């Protein structure tokens, strides 16, 4: 059973744990829409199946597929992966799935953020998004977790937490008028405190160049452990990403987290810059209500868009020239985890990467509570 609660997580003694903490499992969705995925979605389905298979080596994986795709998805995924029928408008479980919160006793609940396809009718990526907006609720029903329906539009990829009271966000996304035009920065911070149990909000500026989510933080930077993050990086001053990454570094170095610590930054080399080829763009159907794909457009490629599983890291392989260096950084930063690379270009062509298509459910274990906001 899943109850809908009218209180807030912080008021009930819940907070969002970090992705690097123990998971019960991972949820994903199955891609199918031909106006976002080329060649009718077949190459993306292969890529998603490879990601699901890689994660399943570390923890249980569930994939939601819409009715018309259920049998095909079931046949393409290993038996160990649970496949359930869930309708969705696209396949970005990080953003349409629940952000789960826990309490000290090990109970798990979910936050169901209202979703508007990254901007609604003011720059959003497709219309309608009604089925996406129901996904978090359905996942929480299946997981038998109680649910908080939050009062602000937000996506899971727009936040990264350390599980100890710190949340990283970007101004480009959270202050964008196409999400919550009536909410001030202060009001948004208040909601992040109440829903994520955060005490400190670290505001970064812009996200990765050409990120069509309006600069999700999860494509720019990722918590590796408390007070340590990985940041996508370029040393090329001619690249517009140089300013973005340097600004993020400056803000991270100036910040103190919820426990008063400085944040250590590990630089992840940027792939490319990578662009969409004419053949790739031509394979995507152009349809009213969906963002068209254009040959030569810069892709928002970033190795920071990796997923942390129990005992493992699943990282997108994006560029043979930079993949080895990125793998080496993650192996150094995560010595206790097996770092696995999975081809990420087909996912990138759809506008995100491995972190964007996954969502963790935390393990139901007793934990030490951070100091929660009142
Ligand atoms: O990066 C994400 N979190 C989602 C990307 C959505 C792209 C839709 N075309």
């Amino acid at each position: 059973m899943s109850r809908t609660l009218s209180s807030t997580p912080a008021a009930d003694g819940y907070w969002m744990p970090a992705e690097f903490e123990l998971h019960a499992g991972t949820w994903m969705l199955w891609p199918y829409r031909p106006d976002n995925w080329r060649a009718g979605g077949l190459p993306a389905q292969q890529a998603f199946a490879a990601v699901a298979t890689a994660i399943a080596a570390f923890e249980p994986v569930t994939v939601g597929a819409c009715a018309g795709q259920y049998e095909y998805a079931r046949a393409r995924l290993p038996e160990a992966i649970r496949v359930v029928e869930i309708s969705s408008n696209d396949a970005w479980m990080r953003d349409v799935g629940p952000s789960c919160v826990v309490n000290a006793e090990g109970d798990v609940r979910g936050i169901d953020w209202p979703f508007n396809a990254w901007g609604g009718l003011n720059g959003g990526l497709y219309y309608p998004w009604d089925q996406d907006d129901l996904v978090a609720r359905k996942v929480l029903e299946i997981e038998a977790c109680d649910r908080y329906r939050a009062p602000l539009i937000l996506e899971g990829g727009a936040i990264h937490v350390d599980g100890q009271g710190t949340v990283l966000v970007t101004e480009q996304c959270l202050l964008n008028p196409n999400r919550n035009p009536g909410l001030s920065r202060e009001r948004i911070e208040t909601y992040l405190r109440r829903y994520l149990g955060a005490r400190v909000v670290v505001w970064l500026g812009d996200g990765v160049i050409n990120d069509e989510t309006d600069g999700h933080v999860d494509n720019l930077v990722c918590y590796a452990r408390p007070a340590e993050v990985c940041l996508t990086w370029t040393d090329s001053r001619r690249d517009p990403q140089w300013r973005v990454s340097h600004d993020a570094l400056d803000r991270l170095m100036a910040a103190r987290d919820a426990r008063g610590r400085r944040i250590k930054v590990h630089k992840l080399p940027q792939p490319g810059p990578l662009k969409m080829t004419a053949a790739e763009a031509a394979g995507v159907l152009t349809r009213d209500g969906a963002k068209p794909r254009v040959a030569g457009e810069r892709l928002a490629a970033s190795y920071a868009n990796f997923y942390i599983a129990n005992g493992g890291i699943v990282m997108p392989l994006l560029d043979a020239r930079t993949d080895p260096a990125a793998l080496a950084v993650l192996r150094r930063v995560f010595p206790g985890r097996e770092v696995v690379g999975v081809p990420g270009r087909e996912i990138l062509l759809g506008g995100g990467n491995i972190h964007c298509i996954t969502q963790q459910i935390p393990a139901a274990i007793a934990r030490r509570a951070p100091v929660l906001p009142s």
Side-chain angles (χ1 to χ4, degrees), residues 122-193:
N122 175 15
L125 300 179
Y126 49 75
Y127 172 89
W129 53 82
D130 57 327
Q131 294 305 307
D132 278 347
D133 197 29
L134 292 171
V135 169
R137 183 174 190 171
K138 293 174 181 176
V139 168
L140 294 170
E141 289 266 10
I142 294 171
E143 293 286 343
C145 293
D146 290 340
R147 154 184 176 265
Y148 298 97
R149 177 71 169 172
L152 75 166
I153 289 172
L154 194 84
E155 303 95 36
I159 50 172
H160 252 311
V161 299
D162 67 353
Q164 298 185 345
T166 316
V167 56
L168 307 178
V169 298
T170 65
E171 291 170 347
Q172 185 192 355
C173 183
L174 270 74
L175 301 184
N176 198 306
N178 66 11
R179 299 305 209 283
N180 299 287
L183 299 184
S184 65
R185 177 191 291 253
E186 292 68 35
R187 193 72 198 154
I188 290 171
E189 285 201 10
T190 300
Y191 285 138
L192 296 176
R193 292 198 179 92

Side-chain angles (χ1 to χ4, degrees), residues 29-222:
L29 288 163
W30 186 250
Y32 67 91
R33 58 183 296 158
D35 56 3
N36 192 47
W37 305 104
R38 71 188 180 117
L42 293 182
Q45 289 166 351
Q46 200 173 14
F48 275 54
V51 170
T53 304
I55 297 172
F58 300 109
E59 61 191 53
V61 176
T62 305
V63 176
C66 64
Q69 289 283 330
Y70 174 81
E71 272 196 292
Y72 183 66
R74 180 59 286 172
R76 296 301 301 264
L77 290 162
E79 267 178 25
I81 293 176
R82 176 170 67 161
V83 183
V84 299
E85 187 186 314
I86 292 191
S87 308
S88 62
N89 300 103
D90 201 0
W92 305 97
M93 187 55 103
R94 175 65 49 188
D95 294 341
V96 301
S99 298
C100 285
V101 291
V102 296
N103 69 5
E105 287 73 48
D107 302 314
V108 179
R109 292 178 173 173
I111 307 168
D112 173 3
W113 309 104
F115 178 76
N116 75 348
W118 308 276
L121 300 180
N122 175 15
L125 300 179
Y126 49 75
Y127 172 89
W129 53 82
D130 57 327
Q131 294 305 307
D132 278 347
D133 197 29
L134 292 171
V135 169
R137 183 174 190 171
K138 293 174 181 176
V139 168
L140 294 170
E141 289 266 10
I142 294 171
E143 293 286 343
C145 293
D146 290 340
R147 154 184 176 265
Y148 298 97
R149 177 71 169 172
L152 75 166
I153 289 172
L154 194 84
E155 303 95 36
I159 50 172
H160 252 311
V161 299
D162 67 353
Q164 298 185 345
T166 316
V167 56
L168 307 178
V169 298
T170 65
E171 291 170 347
Q172 185 192 355
C173 183
L174 270 74
L175 301 184
N176 198 306
N178 66 11
R179 299 305 209 283
N180 299 287
L183 299 184
S184 65
R185 177 191 291 253
E186 292 68 35
R187 193 72 198 154
I188 290 171
E189 285 201 10
T190 300
Y191 285 138
L192 296 176
R193 292 198 179 92
R194 288 185 186 161
Y195 281 81
L196 303 174
R199 279 197 300 128
V200 168
V201 181
V202 177
W203 289 92
L204 305 178
D206 288 346
V208 166
I209 296 299
N210 254 8
D211 186 328
E212 62 190 24
T213 64
D214 301 311
H216 270 185
V217 75
D218 73 339
N219 207 27
L220 179 71
V221 63
C222 173

